[in-house]
Amino acid sequence: MAIYILEDNVFQCGYLLKTISNICDTLGFKSIDIQESSRPERVIQFCNSSSYEKNLYFLDLKIDGDETAGFKVAQKIRSIEPQAMIVFVTSYANLALLSYEYMISAFAYILKYDDEKDYFDKITSCISAYKKSTETNSIDEYFIFENKFTSIRFLFNDLLYVTSVSPHKLVLCTKSKEIYCYGSLKDIQNLNNRIIRCHQSYLINIQNVKKIDKSNRRLILENEIHIPISKKMYATVSESWKKYYDLHNSINEINKLEK
């Protein structure tokens, strides 16, 4: 989980950063990563490289004279990170309606000239809502991978597949981004029984397999991604997929009866 700030006024950036840090400490949100920049491209870079699927962004609207820079950054963030929580912090109340034209679905719009208490309370509300949203899912529903080089956490359902790009480097492909890290396929495979090896170079999340293409011996995942199945592993993968979906369908039937 991380909070990113886009603000090109040094004083206002410092004040917002201090306010956010104090609120996070008060709420017990101590492990959160907080970063700031005055450059839109830097915030987009943060977003692209983040190992989290849902971050909180406080964006100024006017950057280097461009009154819509914040909206443009927000659009890019939304395309990379659909679950992001976006908050605009600006001096321009008249630009609020433009956020609807950009179809960003901002969580809040905070004015810099609000009195100190209102400003603090609104930012507190945003951080509290973000904290609550990150805690709504059970720890069992998160993919968590940690070693001495990296710490990665996102919703398990977002994981599509994992593949090796070098002997000690992996790429974790989710529904919205690719995350590069150091580690081995064996380390990942042992994390959860829903992670299945289908090929010497690939692991897949069995719950995101849509179908098996038998004639071409490959898996069709969400987002229409095709992953090869080795001849040696075909029977095991087919059986794992069948067992998962039989169990999944049984649970759905039980839930229907309980309702």
Side-chain angles (χ1 to χ4, degrees), residues 104-151:
I104 296 160
S105 298
F107 181 79
Y109 199 99
I110 299 173
L111 296 176
K112 294 178 181 178
Y113 53 74
D114 279 342
D115 67 57
E116 188 173 348
K117 184 179 183 305
D118 285 347
Y119 182 86
F120 184 87
D121 287 347
K122 288 175 182 177
I123 292 176
T124 300
S125 295
C126 293
I127 296 174
S128 294
Y130 176 60
K131 183 174 185 290
K132 184 176 180 181
S133 73
T134 63
E135 295 171 346
T136 54
N137 294 282
S138 162
I139 195 73
D140 293 335
E141 290 308 309
Y142 278 94
F143 173 90
I144 300 172
F145 178 55
E146 295 180 337
N147 57 30
K148 64 181 180 179
F149 301 107
T150 191
S151 178

Side-chain angles (χ1 to χ4, degrees), residues 75-109:
Q75 278 188 318
K76 186 65 176 176
I77 290 170
R78 187 65 74 205
S79 69
I80 299 168
E81 191 180 309
Q83 299 181 62
M85 183 179 288
I86 297 172
V87 177
F88 293 117
V89 184
T90 182
S91 300
Y92 299 91
N94 60 309
L95 294 177
L97 291 177
L98 272 180
S99 63
Y100 297 100
E101 294 183 18
Y102 281 84
M103 299 176 67
I104 296 160
S105 298
F107 181 79
Y109 199 99

Side-chain angles (χ1 to χ4, degrees), residues 161-210:
Y161 69 93
V162 184
T163 188
S164 56
V165 291
S166 71
H168 303 291
K169 193 172 184 181
L170 305 172
V171 56
L172 281 63
C173 296
T174 75
K175 293 178 181 179
S176 61
K177 65 176 74 173
E178 295 181 345
I179 302 169
Y180 290 84
C181 67
Y182 290 98
S184 69
L185 290 175
K186 185 177 179 181
D187 293 336
I188 301 291
Q189 186 176 357
N190 293 333
L191 291 177
N192 192 289
N193 59 13
R194 287 172 288 179
I195 300 175
I196 306 296
R197 186 183 287 270
C198 62
H199 187 278
Q200 184 178 356
S201 302
Y202 287 92
L203 301 173
I204 53 92
N205 177 2
I206 200 72
Q207 71 187 70
N208 281 324
V209 175
K210 292 171 62 179

Side-chain angles (χ1 to χ4, degrees), residues 53 83 137-138 141-143 153-159:
E53 290 295 308
Q83 299 181 62
N137 294 282
S138 162
E141 290 308 309
Y142 278 94
F143 173 90
R153 172 187 169 116
F154 53 80
L155 289 175
F156 193 93
N157 186 54
D158 286 331
L159 178 66

